[in-house]
Amino acid sequence: MPDLRDSLWTAWRLYSHPRVVVMLFLGFSAGLPYLLVFSTLSAWLADADVDRAAIGYFSWVGIMFSIKVFWAPVVDRLKLPLLGRALGQRRSWLLLAQIGIGLSLAAMALVEPVGHLERFAQLALLVAFCSATQDICIDAYRIDSADDSFQGAMAATYILGYRVAMLVAGAGAFYIASYDSWNGAYHVMAWLMAVGVVTTLIIREPDTPPRQSFGRHPAQWLETALIAPFRDFLKRYGTLALGLLALVAIYRISDITMGVMANPFYLDIGYTKNEIATVAKFFGFFMTILGSAVGGLAVLRWGLGRSMLVGAVGVALTNLLFAVMATYSPVTQVVVEPEQVRWAALAWLAAVISADNLFGGFANVALIAFMSSLTNRNFSATQFALFSSLMTLPGKFIGGFSGEVVKAAGYPLFFNYAALLGVPGILLVLWWLRYGRAAPDQGRG
């Protein structure tokens, strides 16, 4: 009992630290816009009877999250003229991004996709750009504001806040759309960005290295902002560098590719928006949190390598469950007792969602811990942006063709194809376990 009490007291002190608590609200601010330009947006488009191939192409909006490394050096090093003096480097960029997200979501709520698809896509792209900029700022804030002993707890509370926001932007948006409209749902989401704005105004600016003015020393500024972060990474990891970047790039490719068509799939096989909100979003949220908690413990007990392997294998296998569901789901069956069929269909959905979100949360925690271990604090925003950009770029690009695959081959073959995309990630984790396992220990700087 004394050991248990000591552990609980240590956990309480860790998770009640102000820097750790703040990440809960910043995580909410980061997670809210993500689904609104991804799977929730796909559901709105599907409900508006937009062509399924066009819905697939809309996932390319999410590539903004995958190319943020190109403007991360600007966010990392360039001072904003007025806000920078008032709030500091991290908070000024963070506030600017959050206001941009809120205004862009409000503008989306004023536009109908049918008949205005191009303008709708442009606004979604703007939301994604501002959201990716916010991610750069929050990742840098997390790494800069506390030492290594707090990073695990800060990542955990960040993920919790992020997942709560995804619940709101997923199940919450579905519920609002069921009783009002998708436009009304996006209006509410725009106002909820106030959580991030208020948090940014309250928190304290972390201690960061002095930032040079571009105007006074342009050549030196460019070298420090653009070249030094990448040179540092290549110098520290040498011949392992390309393999580590490839591992980051394709680890989640199976999960991201499948996610593009998940909501259209649920709607197409007969689930209602309320059922999707309750089972896939609300119930799935708790399974993701459970998976994240188990993932955090696994990283602590097993280490990064074994945890990443379990996550990669689990995510690929759960895509096969979707293929089974697409073929045999009771929601598509016609029998004498429709009430029993409905309950059986919801049980199928709950089982598949449980497995998918459990392993998804597990794998995400393992990957964030891995990427954080590769980051040098002297270049926190730029290097972590590089890793998080690579983390989603291949999946977002390939996911853009997911609607074409579904139209040509159907959902069962699509989900089998998504599962096979996870095999290269599994092989790269095995490579890292054998040849590069010690590399992350060099990365904190």
Side-chain angles (χ1 to χ4, degrees):
M1 286 299 293
D3 288 341
L4 177 59
R5 284 198 297 268
D6 289 344
S7 297
L8 291 174
W9 175 243
T10 300
W12 167 253
R13 289 200 309 173
L14 179 63
Y15 282 98
S16 61
H17 191 280
R19 292 290 191 188
V20 177
V21 174
V22 159
M23 295 309 300
L24 181 68
F25 299 98
L26 291 180
F28 181 90
S29 185
L32 190 71
Y34 182 73
L35 287 187
L36 300 177
V37 293
F38 191 49
S39 60
T40 298
L41 180 61
S42 296
W44 185 357
L45 296 172
D47 213 24
D49 205 26
V50 173
D51 182 73
R52 295 304 183 261
I55 294 175
Y57 292 132
F58 255 83
S59 73
W60 283 346
V61 168
I63 288 179
M64 276 293 174
F65 295 95
S66 306
I67 60 173
K68 61 187 176 184
V69 66
F70 292 113
W71 67 92
V74 176
V75 176
D76 202 7
R77 296 284 165 176
L78 185 64
K79 290 182 179 178
L80 292 174
L82 298 177
L83 282 178
R85 282 197 295 271
L87 300 177
Q89 182 74 15
R90 300 302 183 210
R91 294 168 66 216
S92 60
W93 278 100
L94 189 52
L95 183 64
L96 185 64
Q98 289 164 341
I99 292 173
I101 294 167
L103 292 177
S104 302
L105 287 174
M108 285 185 72
L110 299 175
V111 178
E112 290 292 343
V114 177
H116 305 92
L117 204 57
E118 184 177 344
R119 183 180 303 173
F120 200 71
Q122 291 168 349
L123 289 171
L125 199 64
L126 185 57
V127 172
F129 173 77
C130 294
S131 182
T133 303
Q134 179 185 224
D135 289 351
I136 295 169
C137 302
I138 294 175
D139 289 332
Y141 176 88
R142 173 175 56 82
I143 294 168
D144 291 346
S145 62
D147 59 31
D148 286 356
S149 61
F150 285 96
Q151 289 300 319
M154 292 175 78
T157 52
Y158 171 82
I159 290 172
L160 176 59
Y162 198 98
R163 291 297 176 178
V164 170
M166 292 181 76
L167 177 63
V168 172
F174 269 83
Y175 282 130
I176 295 170
S178 294
Y179 295 107
D180 183 11
S181 66
W182 285 110
N183 305 78
Y186 272 64
H187 267 301
V188 173
M189 299 303 133
W191 279 107
L192 285 175
M193 281 305 300
V195 172
V197 171
V198 172
T199 302
T200 299
L201 293 174
I202 292 174
I203 60 177
R204 182 171 62 86
E205 177 75 4
D207 296 326
T208 56
R211 305 308 191 202
Q212 291 180 325
S213 168
F214 178 82
R216 294 179 61 184
H217 307 282
Q220 189 175 358
W221 186 91
L222 288 171
E223 197 281 336
T224 303
L226 298 177
I227 300 172
F230 304 103
R231 184 174 59 217
D232 167 79
F233 178 76
L234 293 173
K235 182 179 178 181
R236 283 187 291 119
Y237 293 104
T239 57
L240 294 174
L242 292 180
L244 293 171
L245 293 176
L247 173 54
V248 169
I250 68 173
Y251 185 76
R252 290 193 59 208
I253 191 171
S254 174
D255 186 35
I256 294 173
T257 301
M258 184 281 294
V260 175
M261 297 305 296
N263 282 332
F265 166 65
Y266 302 145
L267 291 167
D268 284 346
I269 65 172
Y271 291 105
T272 68
K273 288 196 288 290
N274 274 345
E275 289 170 341
I276 296 169
T278 301
V279 179
K281 305 301 179 185
F282 186 75
F283 175 72
F285 161 78
F286 293 101
M287 297 309 298
T288 301
I289 295 302
L290 177 60
S292 299
V294 173
L297 289 173
V299 170
L300 182 65
R301 297 290 180 88
W302 300 346
L304 281 172
R306 290 172 62 190
S307 300
M308 289 186 70
L309 182 61
V310 170
V313 172
V315 165
L317 290 178
T318 54
N319 281 341
L320 295 178
L321 293 179
F322 278 93
V324 174
M325 182 180 177
T327 306
Y328 300 109
S329 174
V331 78
T332 63
Q333 308 300 312
V334 179
V335 296
V336 179
E337 301 182 40
E339 186 85 15
Q340 292 183 5
V341 172
R342 207 70 202 169
W343 279 108
L346 292 175
W348 266 79
L349 182 62
V352 174
I353 288 296
S354 295
D356 181 59
N357 288 20
L358 187 69
F359 280 105
F362 185 104
N364 195 40
V365 166
L367 183 58
I368 287 177
F370 176 70
M371 293 190 302
S372 296
S373 73
L374 299 176
T375 304
N376 186 327
R377 270 207 186 93
N378 292 322
F379 311 102
S380 52
T382 303
Q383 288 189 350
F384 200 89
L386 168 65
F387 304 140
S388 55
S389 294
L390 286 173
M391 176 180 73
T392 57
L393 180 58
K396 292 291 186 185
F397 178 75
I398 293 175
F401 299 104
S402 58
E404 298 285 3
V405 177
V406 169
K407 284 182 67 176
Y411 282 112
L413 187 60
F414 167 72
F415 290 123
N416 278 287
Y417 149 79
L420 286 174
L421 289 175
V423 173
I426 295 171
L427 295 177
L428 272 174
V429 173
L430 292 172
W431 163 81
W432 177 55
L433 282 169
R434 182 168 182 179
Y435 297 107
R437 198 170 182 176
D441 296 334
Q442 309 164 21
R444 297 301 299 141

